[in-house]
Amino acid sequence: MESDANKLSEYMSELSEQAYYAGWMQGLEYALWNAVLKGRVKYGRLQITRAHTSKLRELSDQCGGWIVWDDYLGETFMPLDQWQKKYDAEHASRMTD
């Protein structure tokens, strides 16, 4: 991953640690993106604040993407347009379940 993507990955992992004592909690990328879109939310033990979401958005803008978990590769960079489609598809499938 590039330097800017690494910064985003490290910050997302840090938030996961604060929330669940886990370096990358399952579904972290979805939970944090939801917070970016909706604002303050509770995630595990962590109250995600406007400062958290602003930093996530800033880091995402800097690298032009989002970090997702890949079962084979671990933390993986995904361009923002691909991520938004993936997030929207997952969100839509949860709405119909």
Side-chain angles (χ1 to χ4, degrees), residues 4-74:
D4 287 337
N6 275 332
K7 289 177 188 173
L8 176 58
S9 179
E10 289 169 7
Y11 188 60
M12 291 171 71
S13 181
E14 179 183 315
L15 294 177
S16 181
E17 285 283 352
Q18 290 176 29
Y20 288 104
Y21 300 110
W24 195 275
M25 188 68 180
Q26 183 177 359
L28 176 69
E29 59 269 58
Y30 294 97
L32 294 182
W33 189 255
N34 184 57
V36 167
L37 297 177
K38 295 187 177 186
R40 294 178 49 163
V41 296
K42 183 86 169 151
Y43 181 63
R45 298 177 309 109
L46 177 66
Q47 178 65 50
I48 298 178
T49 65
R50 183 173 293 145
H52 291 123
T53 59
S54 293
K55 185 169 182 178
L56 286 164
R57 176 61 83 174
E58 177 185 327
L59 292 169
S60 175
D61 289 346
Q62 286 173 358
C63 69
W66 198 243
I67 308 302
V68 300
W69 183 261
D70 180 277
D71 288 336
Y72 298 104
L73 303 172

Side-chain angles (χ1 to χ4, degrees), residues 30 33-34 37-38 83-97:
Y30 294 97
W33 189 255
N34 184 57
L37 297 177
K38 295 187 177 186
W83 164 247
Q84 288 173 324
K85 289 175 187 171
K86 182 177 177 77
Y87 176 86
D88 290 345
E90 177 69 19
H91 185 70
S93 75
R94 288 179 188 256
M95 297 297 283
T96 59
D97 289 343

